[in-house]
Amino acid sequence: MAKKGDMLYAWTNDADIAKKAELGGAVTGLWKYALESKMVDAVYVIKKGKDLYDAQPVLITNPADLKDTAGSLHCGTLLLPKLVKKYLDGASKMKIGVTVKGCDVMGFIELAKRKQINLDNIVMIGVNCGGSVSPISARKMIADKFGVDPDKVHKEEIDKGQFIIEYEGGQKGISIDELEEAGYGRRTNCRRCKYKIPRQADLACGNWGVIGDKAGKATFVEVCSDKGANLVSGAVKSGVLATEPANPKGLEIRGKVEGAMLKLGEKWRKKDFTALGANMWETIEKETSRCIKCYSCIENCPVCFTAADALIKGSIMVKPGELAPNPMFHLRRFAHISDSCINCGQCEELCAMDIPLALFSHAIRVEADAMFEPKLGAASYKN
Ligand code: FAD
Ligand code: SF4
Ligand code: SF4
Ligand code: SF4
């Protein structure tokens, strides 16, 4: 029987899932058990669409369809919590399993605090996350830095500090540091992110620390809750999942990699925030001046659940029908959300005018967090 706190290597015995999986298919195998045992009514996860730049959310109710959802898409940057709130009634009527990155976990928790999501009906399998790459910049990076036609790439992975592609005719890897120095690589919010192992999910899964004969064939699973322990125990009993205790040396390596990633996140914060701090007001004023008021940043922010039009209509500072003037519109928005900003990057990525919005709200949030108690999420995540 698995229990909270266990550190395991896990892989699936389902050959169809294993073929498509990233690292042994533990995650997808667990979802298969969860659906078959009716622990959840549906699984809401990411699936590769037309190509590897096309990460699509799918709601799966038939366990046979799960195999198509296996595999990691590093150019998949969407966030699930607001979609669950908007399109699945905040999990009020059905039990839903979700595969989550750290920013997804934080989004679920923030929306639950605001009573927009019923966390009792959510099972979260977390995946460690070194970062994700915007699909647009990934295409450009592959063309410019790798000299490869992005449409010829059939696989990408991030391993040992490199972004690696497989394409018709070969394989190529370039160090993430080199790519980021040249303005490519992970999204800027991901570089600053310090939520690498999602321990607030029910399980935290990843490749860090898998060594020996299991390297590349199994996933490291940290059991983070009783719900997660029941899921693992049931899946093992059903035969879909196999586990063994994690190698102690592997556990040590995993700790070191996590520590190095946290230091890297801190380095990027220092770099980004220092540059911004030198001229914060002028930078915000200049950057936000090209805003076209599409309100996508409001609609897609996981900590803001008021619909954009309600926010605008309900305002006492902006008359109905009037566009809020710059930069007041943005200062008000930052005042609304910055104390809860989880640095998920959605506002920035989905901004029609490429305004570095997450940088601004994250900088404000981190400064406030350094000064005030309690910290956002209390004894929990560090975002
Ligand atoms: P599979 O059985 O192959 O299942 C993978 C699951 O991930 C599926 O449910 C799928 O829907 C979901 N998924 C795929 N892409 C995304 C996405 N973009 N967002 C949300 N869910 C997605 N592990 C580390 O140890 N270090 C890392 O630095 C690291 N970075 C990662 C970055 C990203 C963007 C992702 C998605 C995963 C990362 N992982 C990392 C986790 C690792 O790649 C594997 O997902 C994990 O080990 C589980 O492997 P598996 O074979 O059991 O999963
Ligand atoms: Fe991963 Fe953090 Fe980026 Fe989310 S914000 S995709 S958890 S690195
Ligand atoms: Fe995410 Fe931007 Fe909202 Fe912060 S302000 S939580 S980065 S969408
Ligand atoms: Fe303005 Fe960008 Fe927000 Fe649209 S998403 S309202 S352009 S800041």
Side-chain angles (χ1 to χ4, degrees):
M1 288 287 281
K3 59 185 185 318
K4 191 175 162 186
D6 279 356
M7 302 285 183
L8 307 166
Y9 289 165
W11 60 95
T12 185
N13 291 319
D14 182 305
D16 285 344
I17 293 175
K19 227 185 287 164
K20 294 204 167 177
E22 190 71 15
L23 290 154
V27 172
T28 311
L30 284 158
W31 286 141
K32 186 170 182 221
Y33 166 72
L35 271 181
E36 284 175 347
S37 65
K38 309 230 179 306
M39 186 174 184
V40 295
D41 302 310
V43 170
Y44 194 46
V45 287
I46 305 297
K47 175 185 165 186
K48 181 171 151 189
K50 184 177 179 307
D51 53 34
L52 52 84
Y53 316 98
D54 179 20
Q56 299 181 352
V58 277
L59 190 73
I60 306 268
T61 51
N62 180 355
D65 296 336
L66 273 172
K67 60 180 184 325
D68 301 326
T69 69
S72 299
L73 292 169
H74 297 93
C75 307
T77 54
L78 42 74
L79 203 78
L80 294 181
K82 201 139 190 196
L83 301 181
V84 170
K85 176 206 151 16
K86 273 188 183 174
Y87 305 116
L88 298 170
D89 294 317
S92 59
K93 299 193 184 94
M94 66 196 301
K95 285 180 279 170
I96 304 172
V98 283
T99 307
V100 285
K101 308 178 292 305
C103 48
D104 290 298
V105 179
M106 290 187 278
F108 275 113
I109 293 173
E110 288 307 309
L111 281 172
K113 282 187 201 165
R114 291 157 178 77
K115 307 210 181 314
Q116 302 299 305
I117 294 250
N118 179 2
L119 271 192
D120 292 340
N121 278 346
I122 298 268
V123 179
M124 291 193 242
I125 300 186
V127 286
N128 299 352
C129 189
S132 54
V133 183
S134 141
I136 296 171
S137 99
R139 279 182 167 275
K140 206 163 167 332
M141 171 175 85
I142 288 168
D144 295 353
K145 293 290 291 178
F146 289 75
V148 172
D149 177 351
D151 288 322
K152 298 265 158 57
V153 178
H154 56 260
K155 186 164 167 44
E156 52 72 28
E157 63 176 321
I158 297 182
D159 193 26
K160 297 190 181 67
Q162 288 206 323
F163 188 87
I164 303 165
I165 55 167
E166 283 177 26
Y167 54 98
E168 282 172 30
Q171 195 204 50
K172 210 172 195 174
I174 301 183
S175 101
I176 301 267
D177 285 347
E178 183 187 331
L179 293 168
E180 289 178 359
E181 282 308 319
Y184 298 101
R186 299 167 302 158
R187 296 181 295 160
T188 51
N189 64 300
C190 292
R191 297 176 197 173
R192 297 190 303 270
C193 173
K194 295 208 295 188
Y195 198 28
K196 300 287 122 187
I197 300 184
R199 297 191 174 89
Q200 280 173 304
D202 297 301
L203 299 169
C205 304
N207 60 336
W208 292 334
V210 185
I211 58 170
D213 62 343
K214 288 288 179 298
K217 297 184 194 126
T219 278
F220 193 117
V221 179
E222 178 172 347
V223 180
C224 305
S225 72
D226 293 337
K227 224 191 244 184
N230 289 340
L231 179 56
V232 170
S233 301
V236 170
K237 204 165 163 211
S238 79
V240 74
L241 193 78
T243 63
E244 65 180 37
N247 184 321
K249 183 88 195 138
L251 184 58
E252 200 182 303
I253 292 171
R254 180 177 180 257
K256 283 191 179 149
V257 180
E258 185 186 15
M261 292 302 294
L262 295 182
K263 273 197 190 140
L264 189 61
E266 194 53 46
K267 190 192 98 178
W268 275 108
R269 285 180 184 206
K270 213 166 179 182
K271 193 171 174 191
D272 288 359
F273 296 163
T274 309
L276 177 64
N279 237 342
M280 187 155 178
W281 171 245
E282 285 82 355
T283 308
I284 291 181
E285 198 181 17
K286 178 169 171 275
E287 293 282 354
T288 58
S289 66
R290 60 180 180 275
C291 169
I292 55 167
K293 310 290 181 329
C294 68
Y295 304 131
S296 164
C297 50
I298 296 175
E299 292 291 352
N300 294 295
C301 174
V303 300
C304 177
F305 62 84
T306 312
D309 60 339
L311 196 71
I312 307 308
K313 278 183 210 147
S315 169
I316 50 170
M317 286 198 269
V318 181
K319 292 195 193 90
E322 253 182 27
L323 285 181
N326 280 335
M328 205 52 208
F329 164 68
H330 291 280
L331 295 182
R332 288 176 58 227
R333 195 183 142 261
F334 294 144
H336 276 256
I337 46 87
S338 287
D339 67 336
S340 312
C341 171
I342 59 166
N343 184 37
C344 68
Q346 295 297 302
C347 52
E348 185 165 321
E349 184 156 357
L350 301 172
C351 172
M353 298 308 288
D354 286 339
I355 300 170
L357 295 165
L359 168 64
F360 302 148
S361 42
H362 191 210
I364 298 167
R365 163 67 215 293
V366 168
E367 191 161 279
D369 233 18
M371 296 192 188
F372 302 117
E373 294 287 349
K375 310 295 180 209
L376 180 66
S380 52
Y381 49 73
K382 286 186 176 154
N383 54 316

